[in-house]
């Protein structure tokens, strides 16, 4: 897991962060060993691997995508492949969000000195609050996205949502959970870093604010009547997890709305309303996106033919698969595979 080193602070005019008190202080900071806190040096965020456990070796992690050099300020992202290892991570002053996007075998063994032993399977999240130390064990090869966000951005978004009278929000640690909306946002941030367009910093900034708003609303200690109403209108976390796990296990099969709704013991119409309230997507939209996500992974990681991938992901035929894939990914499956070839 990388340690995100923020070397570029958001501008003071944005009301995010105060600059260093003097040029002498900046020079002193730049000469010192890189730290995890924000500085005002005019360079982009970068990642560095900090292995405090002897069993962790540099070869355990292969960086696939990072936002280094893109001028992103107050946040940074990486996507990487990790081989089996164990690692202890010291506290960071930044919020950390992790999403497994391939493989399984990541486990958080300890958080802030407390043993928890929670395994994080594919398409599940971890949220590590600022100033938390934790132990990680990776038993199998996995691919994972990490996003670090400065606490000042969290505080700013909290004020936007709840007003200036709210105390600084405390994000709760959360290990191994599904969140389809957050998943789409995180993947889009990573995609923005991959394509390296000149507009990526501004686009990513908007995505980060949406991510923080979602985190504060759903994974923090802030409690309002609006949140209570939202909880009433959506599926319970237990039922949502059951439904999502059922969909992921049966992607290759023809699934009807009735099939999916039966997992929650609700009528199809009632289930659709609650599912959309919880995820922002209808069951059909979510099913299609999961099939496309799985197809993208198979096109990159396997040698299956395009027709085999289509069948494995539950599409009736290759034509239907190609049309749906192009609509979501912006290119045909063959072109997508070629673009991601080693």
């Amino acid at each position: 897991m990388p340690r995100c080193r923020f070397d570029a602070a958001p501008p003071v005019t944005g009301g995010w962060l105060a600059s260093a008190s003097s040029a002498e202080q900046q020079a002193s900071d730049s000469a010192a060993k890189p730290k995890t806190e924000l500085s005002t040096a005019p360079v982009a965020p970068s990642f560095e691997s900090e292995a405090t456990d002897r069993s962790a070796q540099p070869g355990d992690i292969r960086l696939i995508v990072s936002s280094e050099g893109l001028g992103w300020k107050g946040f940074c992202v990486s996507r990487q492949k990790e081989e089996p290892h164990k690692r202890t991570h010291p506290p960071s002053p930044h919020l950390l969000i992790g999403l497994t996007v391939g493989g399984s075998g990541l486990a958080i063994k300890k958080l802030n000195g407390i043993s928890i032993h929670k395994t994080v399977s594919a398409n599940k999240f971890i949220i590590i609050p600022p100033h938390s130390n934790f132990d990680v064990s990776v038993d199998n090869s996995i691919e994972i996205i990490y996003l670090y966000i400065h606490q000042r951005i969290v505080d700013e978004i909290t004020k936007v949502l709840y007003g200036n009278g709210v105390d600084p929000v405390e994000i709760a640690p959360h290990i191994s959970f599904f969140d389809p909306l957050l998943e789409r946002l995180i993947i889009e941030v990573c995609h923005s870093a991959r394509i390296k367009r000149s507009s990526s910093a501004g686009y990513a900034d908007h995505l980060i604010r949406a991510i923080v708003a979602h985190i504060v609303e759903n994974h923090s200690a802030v409690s309002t009547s609006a949140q209570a109403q939202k909880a009433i209108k959506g599926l319970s976390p237990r039922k949502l997890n059951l439904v999502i796990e059922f969909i992921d296990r049966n992607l290759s099969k023809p699934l009807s709305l009735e099939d999916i709704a039966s997992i929650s013991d609700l009528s199809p119409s009632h289930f659709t309303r609650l599912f959309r309230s919880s995820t922002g997507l209808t069951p059909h939209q979510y099913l299609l996106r999961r099939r496309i996500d799985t197809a993208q992974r198979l096109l990159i990681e396997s040698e299956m033919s395009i027709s085999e991938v289509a069948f494995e992901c539950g599409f009736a035929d290759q034509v239907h698969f190609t049309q749906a894939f192009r609509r979501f990914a912006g290119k045909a499956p063959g072109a997508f595979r070629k673009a991601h070839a080693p």
Side-chain angles (χ1 to χ4, degrees), residues 313-327:
C313 296
F315 290 93
D317 53 55
Q318 187 172 334
V319 173
H320 180 210
F321 169 57
T322 299
Q323 291 172 342
F325 191 93
R326 190 192 300 273
R327 190 163 66 249

Side-chain angles (χ1 to χ4, degrees), residues 197-264:
R197 292 175 181 162
S198 59
S199 62
S200 71
Y203 181 53
D205 182 73
H206 286 287
L207 291 171
I208 292 298
R209 290 170 177 272
I211 288 169
V212 171
H214 184 75
I215 293 290
V216 170
E217 279 278 283
N218 295 277
H219 303 291
S220 77
V222 174
S223 177
T224 66
S225 59
Q227 278 187 292
Q229 289 300 315
K230 182 176 179 180
I232 292 171
K233 293 178 181 178
L235 287 169
S236 69
R238 184 185 68 83
K239 283 192 174 182
L240 181 60
N241 282 344
L242 286 174
V243 169
I244 289 175
E245 289 174 352
F246 173 77
I247 290 174
D248 284 345
R249 288 197 309 268
N250 295 279
L251 285 178
S252 63
K253 302 175 183 177
L255 291 176
S256 67
L257 176 59
E258 289 74 14
D259 293 332
I260 301 173
S262 66
I263 303 302
S264 63

Side-chain angles (χ1 to χ4, degrees), residues 19-229:
S19 60
S21 59
S22 66
E24 180 181 355
Q25 179 65 44
Q26 292 183 31
S28 174
D29 289 345
S30 63
K33 183 181 178 181
K35 300 179 180 180
T36 56
E37 57 262 35
L38 286 168
S39 72
T40 54
V43 294
S46 61
F47 289 86
E48 58 185 7
S49 178
E50 294 183 1
T52 57
D53 190 295
R54 290 185 178 181
S55 64
Q57 302 297 325
D60 294 334
I61 296 175
R62 180 170 64 86
L63 196 63
I64 299 172
V65 177
S66 88
S67 56
E68 182 175 3
L70 297 180
W72 292 12
K73 299 177 181 179
F75 53 89
C76 49
V77 69
S78 77
R79 180 169 180 160
Q80 60 210 43
K81 191 162 188 178
E82 299 192 2
E83 301 303 330
H85 67 268
K86 295 180 181 179
R87 193 168 274 121
T88 298
H89 294 274
S92 163
H94 315 301
L95 173 66
L96 170 61
I97 306 170
L99 168 65
T100 55
V101 289
S104 61
L106 173 69
I108 305 297
K109 298 292 188 179
K110 189 180 292 186
L111 178 64
N112 291 328
I114 300 174
S115 296
I116 55 176
H117 297 280
K118 297 201 71 171
T119 300
V120 186
S121 57
N123 306 114
K124 285 191 175 182
F125 278 94
I126 62 171
I127 293 178
I128 305 294
H131 310 295
S132 299
N133 60 75
F134 57 102
D135 292 355
V136 171
S137 174
V138 176
D139 298 326
N140 302 300
S141 178
I142 63 167
E143 192 167 326
I144 190 164
I145 297 172
Y146 292 110
L147 177 65
Y148 282 87
I149 304 175
H150 193 286
Q151 180 64 35
R152 296 292 183 89
I153 299 179
V154 178
D155 293 342
E156 180 184 345
I157 296 302
T158 302
K159 289 181 180 180
V160 170
L161 292 173
Y162 302 111
N164 292 326
V166 177
D167 293 332
V169 66
E170 292 186 8
I171 304 298
H174 207 357
I175 310 297
S176 189
F177 66 98
F178 287 111
D179 191 321
L181 178 57
L182 185 59
E183 180 181 356
R184 296 308 306 172
L185 290 169
I186 294 285
I187 289 175
E188 187 64 16
V189 170
C190 189
H191 177 67
S192 183
R194 183 193 295 272
I195 59 178
K196 300 185 184 298
R197 292 175 181 162
S198 59
S199 62
S200 71
Y203 181 53
D205 182 73
H206 286 287
L207 291 171
I208 292 298
R209 290 170 177 272
I211 288 169
V212 171
H214 184 75
I215 293 290
V216 170
E217 279 278 283
N218 295 277
H219 303 291
S220 77
V222 174
S223 177
T224 66
S225 59
Q227 278 187 292
Q229 289 300 315

Side-chain angles (χ1 to χ4, degrees), residues 303-318:
E303 297 182 357
M304 297 170 65
S305 68
I306 292 176
S307 60
E308 288 173 331
V309 171
F311 178 78
E312 183 68 21
C313 296
F315 290 93
D317 53 55
Q318 187 172 334

